[in-house]
Amino acid sequence: MGQCVTKCKNPSSTLGSKNGERETGSKSHGKRSAVHKDEHASACGKSSGDVLVNGTKKAEAALESGPPSAFSGDTKKDSISSVEESSLQRIGELFRRYKDEREDAILEEGMERFCNDLCVDPTEFKVLVLAWKFQAATMCKFTRKEFFEGCKAINADSIDGICARFPSLLHEAKQEDKFKDLYRFTFQFGLDSEEGQRSLHREIAIALWKLVFTQNKPPILDQWLHFLVENPSGIKGISRDTWNMFLNFTQVIGPDLSNYSEDEAWPSLFDTFVEWEMERRKKEEETKCITSSDTEGLCTEEQT
């Protein structure tokens, strides 16, 4: 949906990038203060070597112990607060760049521009993963809260920063527990919350199954989707239970379906699928045998 106009680069600014610099500066300042106090004591005629603390000169003890804890703690808090505030400002500027003029959210038009700047297609798996991390409630929409919390969750506050996070996000989505969470999120994401939907339209479910299994496609997926397209059972929608159980189905049932049992607590749609698929495979084998026999007969006639 449009060509990319921005190339993704390394992030120029991310959360917490300046924290280490502020802390280092604070420690150096504390050490200089301790040395200055020692020099001041000597200038006033007090020998720093005359007073020992556990066998150590007072000035040396001050240098080793570092700056007073109250000073260091306050500086560190101020540094963290400053970095977080700057990052929130950048997230706010990014959100305003794409938000709708009349609604405090990024809607379809803004989402398309957002995806163009990220160099991704709105229908791409990366966008689904991003929506998952943002915990978006509706397709083609990011509310202000979702956008802010999502950017903080992935530790990015710029287009370049988000682009740089994609590899780690895709890797995270491959982990079994994380993928299960992404998979369950996808069902809810596909529902029309404004209409109060409780099941996915068959066509939407097919598209989302193709999308969510982009990185780890199960062997049985193509046959399952073919069954849904042919729709021999006349189904109109996919329930949450069927959606969730299909992930278990792909993990337990082998590609040849030989270990499937109707006695187990599978959704009835799975019974229909297995029966339909086994019958389809049987007809396919019969067709191959007939074709093979005809070919052999033809070859024999030609040789004669």
Side-chain angles (χ1 to χ4, degrees), residues 89-149:
Q89 288 177 355
R90 287 191 290 271
I91 294 174
E93 292 170 1
L94 193 62
F95 177 76
R96 287 190 293 273
R97 189 188 305 176
Y98 305 106
K99 75 177 288 294
D100 187 71
E101 294 180 356
R102 290 171 292 182
E103 187 174 343
D104 195 30
I106 299 174
L107 302 183
E108 188 172 353
E109 184 180 337
M111 191 69 72
E112 186 171 347
R113 288 188 284 109
F114 180 51
C115 289
N116 283 341
D117 289 349
L118 289 173
C119 302
V120 296
D121 189 285
T123 62
E124 206 172 324
F125 180 65
K126 288 180 181 179
V127 179
L128 176 64
V129 173
L130 195 63
W132 167 55
K133 297 303 292 186
F134 281 26
Q135 286 297 292
T138 308
M139 282 187 178
C140 299
K141 180 178 180 179
F142 285 149
T143 64
R144 175 180 290 272
K145 181 179 179 181
E146 289 169 351
F147 192 84
F148 270 73
E149 293 300 320

Side-chain angles (χ1 to χ4, degrees), residues 182-302:
L182 168 63
Y183 182 82
R184 291 176 178 269
F185 162 84
T186 302
F187 177 87
Q188 185 64 39
F189 185 60
L191 296 176
D192 190 332
S193 56
E194 294 181 359
E195 292 185 5
Q197 282 186 340
R198 301 183 65 180
S199 62
L200 290 174
H201 289 305
R202 182 169 55 93
E203 295 78 8
I204 296 295
I206 291 172
L208 289 178
W209 260 315
K210 288 180 180 179
L211 185 62
V212 75
F213 282 118
T214 296
Q215 293 191 136
N216 50 349
K217 181 181 175 181
I220 201 65
L221 182 64
D222 286 339
Q223 287 84 356
W224 170 252
L225 297 181
H226 180 51
F227 163 73
L228 293 178
V229 170
E230 293 295 322
N231 197 20
S233 57
I235 60 170
K236 295 183 178 180
I238 299 296
S239 68
R240 185 185 299 272
D241 182 55
T242 298
W243 176 274
N244 290 341
M245 290 296 288
F246 182 70
L247 180 60
N248 296 11
F249 181 84
T250 63
Q251 296 169 339
V252 173
I253 305 302
D256 61 358
L257 305 176
S258 60
N259 62 333
Y260 182 82
S261 173
E262 294 183 2
D263 297 332
E264 296 183 19
W266 296 111
S268 60
L269 184 61
F270 291 8
D271 297 339
T272 306
F273 162 66
V274 172
E275 182 181 349
W276 180 85
E277 177 61 17
M278 296 301 286
E279 183 65 25
R280 187 193 67 80
R281 293 182 184 185
K282 182 180 178 181
K283 290 180 179 179
E284 190 177 71
E285 284 298 321
E286 291 175 350
T287 302
K288 285 182 180 179
C289 289
I290 294 173
T291 303
S292 177
S293 298
D294 293 343
T295 303
E296 290 177 359
L298 180 61
C299 291
T300 301
E301 292 176 1
E302 288 178 350

Side-chain angles (χ1 to χ4, degrees), residues 8-22:
C8 300
K9 306 173 183 177
N10 293 327
S12 57
S13 59
T14 55
L15 290 169
S17 61
K18 298 180 181 178
N19 189 23
E21 297 176 4
R22 293 290 183 88

